[in-house]
C-alpha cells in the first residue's frame, strides 16, 4: 500500500472507484426522413378511415331518408379526401401538402363540434324513443318503474341526459384526437421541409 501511495495511486483508484462516470446513453434524434415516413403512414390510415366511415354514413343516411345527415357525412368524406390529397403532395415533394393535413384535421374538428352543438340544441327525445327497438323500450320502462319513477316524465330526462353526455364526449374526443393530430403535424414541419429538400429518393421508399 505504501508503494501505491508513493506513486500517487491509492487503493480506491486501483479498484476504479474514482473513475469518471460514463455519460448516460441518450436516444438518437428523429431523422427528417423518419418523420416524413411517419406522417405519410398516419395520414394514409387516418384519411382512408375518415373516407370509409363517412362513405358508409352517407349510404346509411340515404337509406333512412335523412338527407341532411347524408350531406354532412359527404362533407366529412371530402375532408378525408383533402387529407389524402395532402399526403399525395408530400409524396411529390411539395411542402404545402403538410398544410393540407393540418387544415383537414382542423376542418374536421369544426364539423364535429358543429354537429355536437346542433344535436345538443335540437335533440328530439320522442323521435329517438320511436327508433329504439321494443325490447329496449320495455327494459327502460321497467327499470324506471322499479326505481319508483314516472316512465313518461323521467324517460324524457334520461334520453336528454344521455344525448348531452354523448355530445360532450364526442366534442372532447375530437378535440383530443383531431386537435392533437393537427398539433403533431405542425411540430413536424421543420423536419418535413428538411426531408423534402434533401436529395430525391423514390416515392416507394417514403411510403
Amino acid at each position: 500500500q505504501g508503494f501505491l501511495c508513493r506513486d500517487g495511486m491509492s487503493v480506491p483508484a486501483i479498484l476504479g472507484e474514482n473513475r469518471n462516470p460514463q455519460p448516460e446513453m441518450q436516444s438518437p434524434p428523429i431523422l427528417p426522413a423518419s418523420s416524413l415516413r411517419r406522417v405519410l403512414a398516419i395520414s394514409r390510415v387516418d384519411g382512408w378511415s375518415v373516407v370509409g366511415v363517412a362513405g358508409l354514413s352517407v349510404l346509411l343516411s340515404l337509406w333512412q331518408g335523412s338527407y341532411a345527415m347524408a350531406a354532412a357525412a359527404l362533407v366529412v368524406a371530402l375532408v378525408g379526401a383533402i387529407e389524402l390529397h395532402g399526403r399525395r403532395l408530400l409524396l411529390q415533394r411539395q411542402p404545402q401538402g403538410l398544410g393540407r393535413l393540418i387544415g383537414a384535421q382542423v376542418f374536421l374538428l369544426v364539423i364535429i363540434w358543429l354537429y355536437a352543438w346542433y344535436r345538443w340544441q335540437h335533440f328530439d327525445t320522442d323521435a329517438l324513443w320511436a327508433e329504439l327497438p321494443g325490447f329496449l323500450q320495455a327494459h327502460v320502462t321497467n327499470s324506471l318503474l322499479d326505481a319508483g319513477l314516472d316512465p313518461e316524465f323521467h324517460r324524457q330526462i334520461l334520453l336528454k341526459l344521455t344525448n348531452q353526455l354523448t355530445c360532450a364526449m364526442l366534442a372532447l374526443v375530437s378535440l383530443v384526437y383531431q386537435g392533437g393530430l393537427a398539433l403533431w403535424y405542425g411540430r413536424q414541419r421543420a423536419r418535413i421541409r428538411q426531408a423534402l429538400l434533401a436529395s430525391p429518393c423514390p416515392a416507394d421508399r417514403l411510403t
Side-chain angles (χ1 to χ4, degrees):
Q1 181 176 1
F3 172 75
L4 295 177
C5 293
R6 287 195 301 270
D7 288 352
M9 302 177 64
S10 60
V11 173
I14 294 297
L15 297 178
E17 297 179 6
N18 293 332
R19 290 181 299 178
N20 294 328
Q22 296 295 328
E24 296 182 359
M25 298 296 294
Q26 298 181 354
S27 58
I30 300 177
L31 299 177
S34 300
S35 296
L36 179 57
R37 281 192 292 268
R38 290 183 182 181
V39 168
L40 291 173
I42 293 176
S43 60
R44 176 175 56 187
V45 174
D46 185 74
W48 281 115
S49 298
V50 172
V51 170
V53 173
L56 292 176
S57 299
V58 170
L59 297 177
L60 181 60
S61 299
L62 291 176
W63 180 69
Q64 294 177 343
S66 179
Y67 299 106
M69 288 299 300
L74 188 61
V75 174
V76 173
L78 178 61
V79 173
I82 293 175
E83 185 172 10
L84 293 175
H85 176 65
R87 180 181 182 274
R88 184 175 303 174
L89 291 178
L90 290 178
L91 286 172
Q92 298 172 355
R93 295 189 168 275
Q94 300 184 34
Q96 60 267 31
L98 188 62
R100 299 285 197 283
L101 302 185
I102 298 174
Q105 295 302 319
V106 175
F107 191 18
L108 183 56
L109 176 62
V110 172
I111 293 175
I112 294 176
W113 276 38
L114 287 176
Y115 170 76
W117 173 83
Y118 180 83
R119 186 177 176 88
W120 183 295
Q121 296 292 329
H122 303 278
F123 179 65
D124 189 351
T125 56
D126 294 331
L128 177 61
W129 181 256
E131 294 177 358
L132 295 179
F135 74 92
L136 187 56
Q137 292 181 358
H139 176 72
V140 173
T141 301
N142 293 331
S143 297
L144 293 175
L145 289 174
D146 294 341
L149 302 176
D150 180 11
E152 293 294 331
F153 176 75
H154 290 91
R155 182 185 69 200
Q156 303 287 331
I157 299 177
L158 177 63
L159 293 177
K160 183 175 294 186
L161 179 60
T162 302
N163 175 72
Q164 291 175 349
L165 289 176
T166 301
C167 293
M169 287 300 300
L170 181 62
L172 179 60
V173 171
S174 63
L175 177 63
V176 173
Y177 183 78
Q178 267 69 44
L181 188 55
L183 290 176
W184 184 78
Y185 281 152
R187 292 179 60 183
Q188 309 304 312
R189 189 183 300 273
R191 284 192 287 265
I192 296 301
R193 285 186 175 274
Q194 186 177 352
L196 296 180
L197 293 176
S199 57
C201 59
D204 56 355
R205 293 180 58 186
L206 297 178
T207 56

